[in-house]
Amino acid sequence: MNAPGPRAPAAAPAPSADRAAPRPARARRAGWWTVTVLALATALLTARYLTLDPEVFLDRQRSVYLAHRVPLALHVGGGVLAILLGPWQFLPRLRARRPALHRLTGRLYLLAVLAAGTGGLLLAPSGMVGPVAPIGFTALAVLLLLSSALAWRAALRRDAVRHRAWATRSFALILAAATLRIWLPVMDLAGVPFEQAYASAAWTCWLINLVVAERVIARIPAAPAAPPAG
């Protein structure tokens, strides 16, 4: 009788679907809801400025806002609309099933960004804690307008990958309004004087968001290669 051969190792159990790989779809949904809640909260907090009631203005900025009511209304009104519309531009199902609605809300978003960025450019030179904070907010307004224009140009060229990348950067810059309102209380709890906290916030509120945006952009699938001519 032949000696039995070596026993083959038992096959390792296949990992379950729940543990085999990360759940990118679930992570994306969680991220979308987090951003949307932050956007809604920021819109509710800032919309009160549209009343142009001096009592709701910051004490240190009251005279500036009263002297620049039109730029303030443009900046706040455009910012509120853009931050509310932005999250819906990143829903794949909406883009796929309602492309006309996606284009309409995209155009409204661009108009809102134009108002917010223009108002911001007009307000920034008169801002507090100069020159550091005014320069930071001016840079934010310029980059917001530039990234939004590049997103629009990519859409006109039907370059979906570049369109998504520049739209992501644009919305990250609009979302700086939310980051600003998180940064300042955190700095206050840390005991940082208001002037220093505000000056740093004028830069960190959008730099942090752009870093996150670039990580998101890095995961955007590349466009399929075009077939060779001929």
Side-chain angles (χ1 to χ4, degrees):
M1 182 179 295
N2 294 331
R7 181 178 298 177
S16 67
D18 291 338
R19 296 181 301 171
R23 308 181 183 97
R26 182 173 297 182
R28 284 196 297 269
R29 283 196 296 270
W32 185 88
W33 277 109
T34 300
V35 167
T36 302
V37 170
L38 282 174
L40 178 59
T42 303
L44 291 174
L45 283 172
T46 55
R48 59 199 177 106
Y49 279 78
L50 291 174
T51 64
L52 301 180
D53 180 0
E55 294 300 319
V56 305
F57 298 159
L58 289 172
D59 292 340
R60 302 183 188 190
Q61 285 287 87
R62 185 172 288 120
S63 60
V64 171
Y65 291 159
L66 289 174
H68 300 82
R69 295 192 185 199
V70 173
L72 177 66
L74 283 174
H75 181 61
V76 175
V80 166
L81 181 58
I83 206 170
L84 289 175
L85 288 175
W88 305 98
Q89 296 300 102
F90 298 95
L91 284 179
R93 288 186 180 181
L94 180 63
R95 293 198 304 266
R97 298 180 181 180
R98 301 289 181 88
L101 180 59
H102 176 72
R103 289 192 294 270
L104 174 61
T105 54
R107 292 180 184 124
L108 290 175
Y109 174 84
L110 287 173
L111 289 174
V113 161
L114 179 61
T118 302
L121 285 175
L122 295 173
L123 286 171
S126 304
M128 300 182 291
V129 198
V132 177
I135 293 174
F137 286 125
T138 297
L140 168 59
V142 170
L143 291 174
L144 172 64
L145 293 170
L146 178 61
S147 60
S148 302
L150 290 172
W152 177 55
R153 186 179 72 169
L156 292 179
R157 294 180 174 182
R158 300 185 182 277
D159 188 339
V161 174
R162 284 190 173 87
H163 173 65
R164 287 181 62 187
W166 284 112
T168 300
R169 294 182 183 107
S170 171
F171 184 62
L173 292 167
I174 274 290
L175 206 62
T179 309
L180 175 72
R181 284 158 180 80
I182 296 171
W183 183 267
L184 289 176
V186 169
M187 291 295 99
D188 183 55
L189 289 173
V192 178
F194 177 79
E195 288 78 9
Q196 295 179 21
Y198 191 81
S200 65
W203 294 87
T204 55
C205 70
W206 56 270
L207 286 171
I208 291 173
N209 289 13
L210 281 184
V211 170
V212 175
E214 292 305 319
R215 293 188 61 122
V216 173
I217 291 167
R219 299 177 183 177
I220 294 176

